[in-house]
Every structure is written in C-alpha cells, then in structure tokens.
Amino acid sequence: MAPSDRDGRRSGEFPSREQILAFLAEHPGEAGKREIARAFGIKGSARIPLKRILKEIEAEGLVVRRGKRLGTPGALPPVAVLLVTGRDADGELVGEPVNWEPEDGPAPQIPIMPERHRSPGPTPGVGDKVLARIADGPPGTETGRVGRVIKVIARKPTAVLGVVRRVAGVPGGRILPVDKKQRTELMADDEALGDAEDGDLVEVSVQKAGRYGLPQARVAERIGSIKSERAVSLIAIHAHGIPHRFPEAVLEEAEAAKPARLTGREDWRKLPLVTIDPPDAKDHDDAVHAEPDADPDNSGGFIATVAIADVAYYVRTGSALDREGLLRGNSVYFPDRVVPMLPERISNDLCSLKEGVDRPALAVRMVFDGSGRQIRHTFHRVMMRSAAKLSYQQAQAAIDGQLDDQTLPLLEPVLRPLWEAYACLKRGRDAREPLDLDLPERKIVLTPEGRVDRVIVPERLDAHKLIEEFMIQANVAAATELEKHKTPLLYRIHDNPSVEKLEGLREFLQTLDISLPRTGNMRPSQFNKILARVAGTGNAHLVNEVVLRSQAQAEYSPANIGHFGLNLRRYAHFTSPIRRYADLVVHRALIRALGLGKDGMPEGFEARLEAIGSDISATERRAMAAERDTVDRLIALWLADRVGARFTGRISGVTKAGLFIALDETGADGFIPAATLGQDYFHYDEAARALIGRATGETHRLGDAVDVRLVEAAPFAGALRFELLSEGRYLKGAGKRPPSARGASRGKSRPERGRKTRK
C-alpha cells in the first residue's frame, strides 16, 4: 500500500506537516527531501512548498539534518558508525554514534555486540570505530538498543614506540621506531623530547610529516631506559596494547580475599595429588593422581584424577577482578617476565596448589577402560593438599631410576601408577589419531641480567605428554558434562582446513611427489600418513611446517564445531583458570550445572558468551604476537655483535620480495631481499613455494638448507638481514646454468650479481 493510501491522504493531496513528521519517524536517518517527495508522489513545482515546510520544521527543532538526511532529534539510524568509548560495569564494550549532534543531547551509550549468525571476525577495542546495525537489545538494556558489529572500519591509531638517540651538544634528537615495518626515523626538538634521554624507550605521536625531511614527533610517554634488562618485553607490551598494570580496585579486591574453607566441599586432603610443572613455574593450577580401577568389570582400566585451582571462588562474576580478567583474556609469557591475567595474590598465592597447603579445587575423576577410552567421570568441589611439587625433569628422572629424597617415597604409590595410567590413555590417543606434528619448540635461556645466554630445544619427555593427555581428557569431560546438563559453555573449537589451504598444500606436496587425497572431509590421520612418509628425511621439517600453515586457527565459541587437530567432537578449556578466562567461564558453568555453590554462571550470562569468545580469541592472538616479537628482538639483540658471521639455516618463507631464513642454531628469523641474490629474473611459484630463475632455473624453495652471512641486525625492531652464500638447486629444463653460478663456490658472497625479481 502506498504511503498516501496508508496515511488516509487522497491521491494528489499535498502531505501535512504531521504526515511528513510521521514518515521521518518511521524511517530514522534514511530519508531526505528526495525520499519524501518520492514517497508522497510530489513532483515538479510541488517540491517548492515541500522544501519550505522542511525548512520550517527544521528551524523549529522538530527534525535535524545530517548531510542530506533528515530525522527526529535523538533518533538512531538502522546502521551507524559507532566509536567504542569504553566498557560498562559488566565489562561489555559500549560506543556512541560518531555523527551525534550536541544539540540532540548527550550521546547514547550503546552496548556493542557481535552480529548474530556470523563467524567471529576482528574484535573491536576501545578507541576503534565500527559499522554496526542498531537493533533491539535484550531486556534490561539501558537504551533499549544495541549495536551489532558488522565490521571494524577504523582501528585506534597506535602510538609509535621508539628509542631516543641524542648527541651531546646537539639540540633535539632522533627517534628510532621499534616496529620493523616502520623504517623511517623521526625528529624531535628539545621541547618535544622533554626529559627523555639518550637510550630511552618512548611513546611518541607524529606531529607533522612533510614532503621533505624526517617527520616531526613529540614524546607522549617516557617508558624507561632501553638498557634495562626488562626493556625488550616492555616494547611488546606497549606495542600490542597489553594491559600490564592492575587498577587499584582490582588489587584491593585481591588483597581482601580470604582463604577458602572446607564448608561445602569434599575433603580430599589425604589423596596424594601432585603437581608436575616446569622448574621455574610460579603458579600451579593443576594436580594429578591415578590408580588402577578395582572394579573387576573394568580389568586393565584406570581411574585418573585431575584437580584444578578453584579460581571461581575468588573471582566472582561482575567483580573488579572478573572485569580485569576478561579485559586481559589470558596471561602473557615472555622469556623474562609474565603479565598475569590475575594479580599475584590470586594466581601465585590463594589459587596456587602449593605443596603441603590446603587449597580449594574443582576436580574431575575419570574412569578409563583398558583401551584408554573414557567411560565415565564425576566432578567434585574439594579441598586438597598437594603431596609434592615436582618438575617434569624430576618426575621423569624418578621413573627412569634416578631418584632423589623427594621422589623416592613417591615412586611406587604415586608416580608409577601415573605412568601406568598414561600408558593406558596413550592407547586411546593412538586410536583417536590426533594431528601429530613434529615441530620442536625453542626456548630462550636468559642470563641474570636479562640477556640471551643460549637458545635450546627442551627435550620432549613422557612427563610432558602425561600431563598433556590428562589435561585433554579433563577438558573433554568438562565439555561432555555441560552438554549433558544443557548448560551453555565456551568450547575450544578448531575448524577443518579450508578448501583453499588444502588446495595450496596439495599443489606443494605434488612438487615432492606426494599426493593429498581429494576427499570431502580430511581427517588428521591422513595428514599423519604424509608426515610419517617424510619422517627422518631432509623434507621432514619442511612438510611439518607447511602442514601446520594449512591448518585453521583455534578459537573460543559457544557454538561447537569440534576440534579438528585433536580429533575430538567436543572440547572445552577447563584446566587453567589462573591464566585463561575461558577456563574460568567453564568452571562457573560446571558449578551452576552441578549445584556446587552460589558462585556459578549467573542466569542470562549465556547471552554474553559469543562476545566473550570473540574477545578472548583476539587477546590470545595478541599474546602470541607479542611473545613472538619479544623473542625476535631478544635474539636480534644477541646477534647484533655478530654481524659478518656465517650461519646455517633453512628457508622458512618465500615471497615475491625475497626469502625468509630460520637459523639452525637459534631459530632466529631473518630476510634476504630478492634484489641481493644476483643475476637473472626470478618468478614466484606459489605452488612450489619457491623463487625460480627464469633463465637459469636456479631455485630457492621453502625448506632448503642454506648458508648465510648476517649483514644487519636491528635489535629494537627484531629484524635481521642476511646475505645468501650458497647456491640454489637447478631444475631440469628450466634454463642453462650460467658460468658465474657454476664457478661460485659455497661460501662466496654473491650480491654483485644484481638479480631482479618478477612480481
């Protein structure tokens, strides 16, 4: 029905002021003069009185003009750009319309939520601008409206971090950016530098960037001396915006917490649970115990118990501690420090399962049959007392026959049953066939002064695998229990590899004469067969790396799609609530589902799970990037005095611009620009992950062993630049090997060959 008919206006009649205002109210922020004329059939000269009426009602304040659109004062359009201004008392993001006019009154504070029925995308943060659909909010929403994020359209400008360089007697100074992507230095006069001294790490804002000369900057914050032992990780903390100072309200709440009592808990203090952690661990959030199942109907079975620190008792929903935990999402681990999710009073004291100290815990007792299949489980809220604090190496040494005063009395009653139970669980793991990548992790060992002493690859012990498998099974039990009770939860999900990534992997494997099945649904076991085929060969590390890159990234979500890598249908993080907010959510869900106390997940909290999952998935990615950047900077700082030295390594990445190199000795990453490789035009073969010379056929492929020379180290940017010393391989029929290549001996520099790259 046309507007004229709906409004009771006879065809051909001019609309009244009331009809025009009613139309604008029905179409907030969508209509202007053209839309009104079209809606009411106003044509030709009749538009002149329409224009006059619109000016009158605008002058009277009955409508407001925003560009070419008219609307009622205070009305929100169906889609708006919102500036994320902060968080409410529940820790939810709130924003306000960017184009809000002051005369319309105070800007509404609109809760910001992810768009429904969309996979998690980029998570907005305070200071970002988002395009949002304005929709009806859930009951109790202050404005009655929420903004559902369609996309993040502008990120908050990140401050530039740099190192001050001043010369005595020379006014002003330069600032060297620490971001490896920002190579341009900045200038600052004495007034802009303030009290910043040579060698200080500072946060600056760019004041002016002209066509000529270096950009001008002003110091916004003096962070500290770059010469201090903890400066390198501090760079990553500031660069990635990681909250690292607890507000006073959070610290006060933590200090006021009192130890939990036995009331309402099962007394498990006589059960010899033990913690097994790295030797330098400061918090202990999981303890384990195992024994053979005495049930004659379960011959060869085991009972495995995992007790987890009861963080939910101390961190209540909506408290200052809870809001800060959600903001941080997780703890962040650097070689020289930890940025904890919760204050040390909670993480290192009240919730740490210390040896011989009463501690509250949420425990799961799991029964496995002889094949290692979990057949049942029960959850308990308990008071426990750790029988021993052991390191992985100490526990493994005891099993291997190297006992000390602490492990001698624990060997038969505690450690031996744990290893026997692990052998049982391992049978179940082997039958499940999770993705089995072989990519050893390197660890940086620091001197007492905070500098790199050496880089090692820690030995992968059965003690590590035991704890890992016990934790996986506890996580499965948590997800299964909550599903049984139909209680909302955050799953740890890991999607199947995308079709595009599988096709790229398939093309790469064909260059190694390895085929990847073209089946609809890949399973981890199919990848494992490929990995087994190359195990022990020169291509083993390469294939493991490429298979890893083909995988999706794990996330947190209330919608379960399973965990591809672990080959599990349901999986939820339950075992580390001290350092992961997701686990705290699962603990609260279990407390609510099983009636274990009044501090469980509150009613209505499930509406927030999608947004929380998106937020903490983003903080996890942020932590990984910060940890990786810190390692790069530490190693670059360590290698800075070895410019000119030769190293062996492998090609860890290939792009049109050049080759990324990972050194064998340290795992340090560096770059070789394609322009420095020598003569010939190189083209990038994406399927082969290689740069291939058009005339010569000389090929540099992902995974190839190389000899390189370090020519530049930029410690604060974490960047290394190498020069290639060794030759590539030559493909048959790809071109004629030039005399210069045939005569080049391994170890001679070849930058004079002036090679170019075809884009």
Side-chain angles (χ1 to χ4, degrees):
M1 182 178 292
S4 57
D5 298 328
R6 183 181 63 240
D7 297 337
R9 183 176 61 88
R10 291 196 301 271
S11 178
E13 285 187 359
F14 196 85
S16 67
R17 286 164 46 108
E18 290 72 22
Q19 289 168 333
I20 293 174
L21 288 170
F23 178 77
L24 290 173
E26 291 176 4
H27 302 82
E30 296 179 325
K33 184 177 69 173
R34 179 183 298 176
E35 288 74 22
I36 295 171
R38 185 183 298 119
F40 290 101
I42 301 172
K43 300 179 180 179
S45 60
R47 293 192 178 204
I48 296 175
L50 172 63
K51 184 177 181 180
R52 185 179 64 251
I53 291 176
L54 293 179
K55 282 187 175 181
E56 289 175 357
I57 60 178
E58 184 179 353
E60 295 171 16
L62 298 175
V63 297
V64 292
R65 181 179 297 276
R66 296 185 178 94
K68 293 184 178 182
R69 297 289 186 262
L70 296 168
T72 54
L76 289 168
V79 176
V81 176
L82 305 178
L83 173 65
V84 184
T85 56
R87 293 179 182 269
D88 60 19
D90 295 326
E92 297 285 4
L93 291 171
V94 293
E96 58 186 42
V98 169
N99 295 322
W100 192 262
E101 298 296 335
E103 54 266 28
D104 292 346
Q109 298 300 300
I110 303 169
I112 294 176
M113 299 182 177
E115 181 66 289
R116 290 182 176 136
H117 313 302
R118 286 175 180 258
S119 58
T123 302
V126 176
D128 293 345
K129 291 180 181 178
V130 298
L131 182 66
R133 182 172 59 84
I134 307 301
D136 292 333
T141 306
E142 185 175 345
T143 62
R145 310 287 275 168
V146 297
R148 295 203 172 273
V149 177
I150 299 172
K151 64 183 294 187
V152 179
I153 58 176
R155 293 289 187 183
K156 176 184 177 182
T158 55
V160 176
L161 287 175
V163 179
V164 175
R165 285 289 177 253
R166 304 188 77 161
V167 177
V170 178
R174 296 194 178 196
I175 297 162
L176 282 60
V178 299
D179 187 346
K180 66 180 71 176
K181 297 177 183 177
Q182 185 173 345
R183 304 304 294 253
T184 304
E185 295 180 5
L186 306 172
M187 292 289 292
D189 57 27
D190 285 326
E191 193 269 333
L193 283 173
D195 59 355
E197 300 176 356
D198 183 63
D200 278 354
L201 178 65
V202 293
E203 183 179 292
V204 303
S205 58
V206 179
Q207 301 294 301
K208 182 174 63 175
R211 179 177 297 180
Y212 304 106
L214 296 176
Q216 299 293 312
R218 174 174 292 275
V219 173
E221 181 184 357
R222 180 187 179 192
I223 298 169
S225 174
I226 197 67
K227 299 175 183 177
S228 66
E229 60 188 48
R230 309 182 74 188
V232 174
S233 56
L234 201 58
I235 293 174
I237 289 169
H238 279 261
H240 292 274
I242 295 173
H244 64 291
R245 294 189 182 95
F246 287 106
E248 282 301 316
V250 175
L251 294 174
E252 289 173 4
E253 196 171 279
E255 290 301 320
K258 304 297 182 185
R261 296 183 178 181
L262 181 61
T263 306
R265 300 177 181 275
E266 299 177 41
D267 190 347
W268 281 23
R269 288 176 292 182
K270 292 185 179 180
L271 184 70
L273 291 151
V274 296
T275 62
I276 304 178
D277 292 296
D280 56 353
K282 291 185 174 63
D283 57 64
H284 309 276
D285 54 6
D286 58 80
V288 293
H289 177 267
E291 60 185 351
D293 190 359
D295 186 349
D297 294 331
N298 189 29
S299 177
F302 279 84
I303 300 174
T305 300
V306 174
I308 304 298
D310 189 358
V311 178
Y313 175 81
Y314 296 102
V315 182
R316 306 297 176 96
T317 304
S319 66
L321 279 167
D322 180 52
R323 292 195 300 271
E324 186 69 14
L326 174 57
L327 177 67
R328 297 183 176 219
N330 45 258
S331 298
V332 188
Y333 293 85
F334 299 106
D336 65 328
R337 74 170 81 194
V338 176
V339 178
M341 185 180 80
L342 298 169
E344 289 189 3
R345 167 67 173 161
I346 301 295
S347 60
N348 291 4
D349 186 7
L350 293 177
C351 286
S352 185
L353 307 181
K354 297 181 178 181
E355 180 178 347
V357 179
D358 290 1
R359 285 289 181 259
L362 194 59
V364 57
R365 180 171 281 160
M366 301 168 287
V367 180
F368 296 86
D369 64 18
S371 66
R373 181 175 62 92
Q374 188 178 148
I375 55 178
R376 61 182 178 273
H377 61 259
T378 54
F379 281 86
H380 310 260
R381 210 168 190 186
V382 307
M383 184 68 74
M384 60 159 285
R385 183 183 295 160
S386 173
K389 180 187 78 170
L390 304 175
S391 69
Y392 289 115
Q393 294 76 11
Q394 187 181 14
Q396 186 67 56
I399 288 295
D400 294 340
Q402 301 171 25
L403 298 164
D404 57 31
D405 292 342
Q406 186 181 23
T407 56
L408 179 60
L410 296 172
L411 178 62
E412 295 304 327
V414 176
L415 295 178
R416 192 81 70 191
L418 277 172
W419 256 256
E420 292 171 352
Y422 167 61
C424 175
L425 270 61
K426 188 175 182 299
R427 289 192 286 271
R429 177 185 176 88
D430 292 343
R432 192 175 78 241
E433 291 191 276
L435 186 61
D436 191 18
L437 291 166
D438 181 19
L439 290 167
E441 293 187 11
R442 289 175 169 82
K443 180 179 180 180
I444 293 181
V445 180
L446 301 179
T447 65
E449 294 75 31
R451 295 190 176 276
V452 178
D453 180 37
R454 62 191 187 280
V455 180
I456 62 172
V457 178
E459 185 181 0
R460 178 81 166 149
L461 305 172
D462 280 345
H464 294 103
K465 300 174 185 176
L466 181 153
I467 295 300
E468 179 183 272
E469 192 59 28
F470 273 51
M471 299 304 117
I472 288 173
Q473 292 298 331
N475 291 337
V476 171
T480 303
E481 187 72 13
L482 291 172
E483 278 193 0
K484 184 177 75 173
H485 287 271
K486 297 181 172 55
T487 301
L489 71 147
L490 277 178
Y491 293 93
R492 179 65 166 177
I493 61 172
H494 183 218
D495 204 355
N496 291 23
S498 67
V499 174
E500 295 78 12
K501 287 189 174 182
L502 283 178
E503 189 57 36
L505 176 62
R506 184 176 291 109
E507 291 177 356
F508 167 71
L509 291 174
Q510 285 174 351
T511 68
L512 301 177
D513 295 325
I514 300 173
S515 61
L516 185 69
R518 290 183 178 273
T519 57
N521 291 316
M522 289 288 294
R523 297 183 63 82
S525 58
Q526 293 170 290
F527 289 106
N528 290 342
K529 290 177 182 177
I530 293 170
L531 298 174
R533 178 173 171 179
V534 299
T537 71
N539 290 322
H541 185 86
L542 166 64
V543 174
N544 273 268
E545 188 71 42
V546 177
V547 168
L548 174 64
R549 295 180 188 183
S550 73
Q551 303 302 306
Q553 191 165 24
E555 297 176 319
Y556 294 105
S557 172
N560 184 29
I561 61 171
H563 196 294
F564 177 81
L566 293 174
N567 199 15
L568 292 167
R569 287 181 294 175
R570 58 187 65 85
Y571 190 67
H573 275 165
F574 158 76
T575 53
S576 295
I578 286 178
R579 62 185 181 92
R580 293 188 305 226
Y581 192 85
D583 305 55
L584 179 55
V585 171
V586 170
H587 275 231
R588 290 171 177 162
L590 286 165
I591 292 168
R592 167 176 153 183
L594 301 174
L596 297 177
K598 297 180 180 180
D599 46 3
M601 180 187 293
E603 292 293 334
F605 192 82
E606 50 268 28
R608 298 177 55 192
L609 290 181
E610 187 174 359
I612 289 173
S614 181
D615 280 353
I616 61 180
S617 295
T619 60
E620 179 183 53
R621 292 190 290 270
R622 178 182 68 185
M624 292 169 62
E627 291 165 0
R628 183 173 58 248
D629 287 354
T630 298
V631 169
D632 288 345
R633 289 189 176 99
L634 281 170
I635 292 181
L637 190 63
W638 186 45
L639 295 177
D641 59 355
R642 298 180 67 183
V643 171
R646 291 180 51 166
F647 300 91
T648 61
R650 288 188 177 273
I651 299 175
S652 60
V654 182
T655 70
K656 295 176 183 178
L659 306 173
F660 289 92
I661 307 298
L663 300 184
D664 294 335
E665 179 184 355
T666 62
D669 292 311
F671 188 65
I672 301 177
T676 68
L677 293 176
Q679 298 173 357
D680 204 352
Y681 283 93
F682 269 57
H683 68 88
Y684 173 55
D685 189 323
E686 185 175 1
R689 308 291 204 281
L691 285 177
I692 303 175
R694 183 177 65 179
T696 65
E698 185 178 4
T699 300
H700 301 286
R701 188 172 65 174
L702 185 70
D704 284 353
V706 291
D707 286 347
V708 297
R709 176 181 289 119
L710 179 62
V711 295
E712 182 185 4
F716 307 128
L720 300 173
R721 185 164 63 86
F722 295 114
E723 173 186 277
L724 185 65
L725 301 179
S726 54
E727 294 182 40
R729 64 180 74 193
Y730 289 86
L731 303 181
K732 293 181 179 179
K736 185 177 180 181
R737 191 178 183 187
S740 59
R742 289 195 301 269
S745 62
R746 188 178 181 88
K748 289 184 179 179
S749 175
R750 308 185 314 171
E752 69 278 2
R753 289 166 57 182
R755 181 168 307 181
K756 299 179 181 178
T757 303
R758 181 190 294 261
K759 299 289 185 180

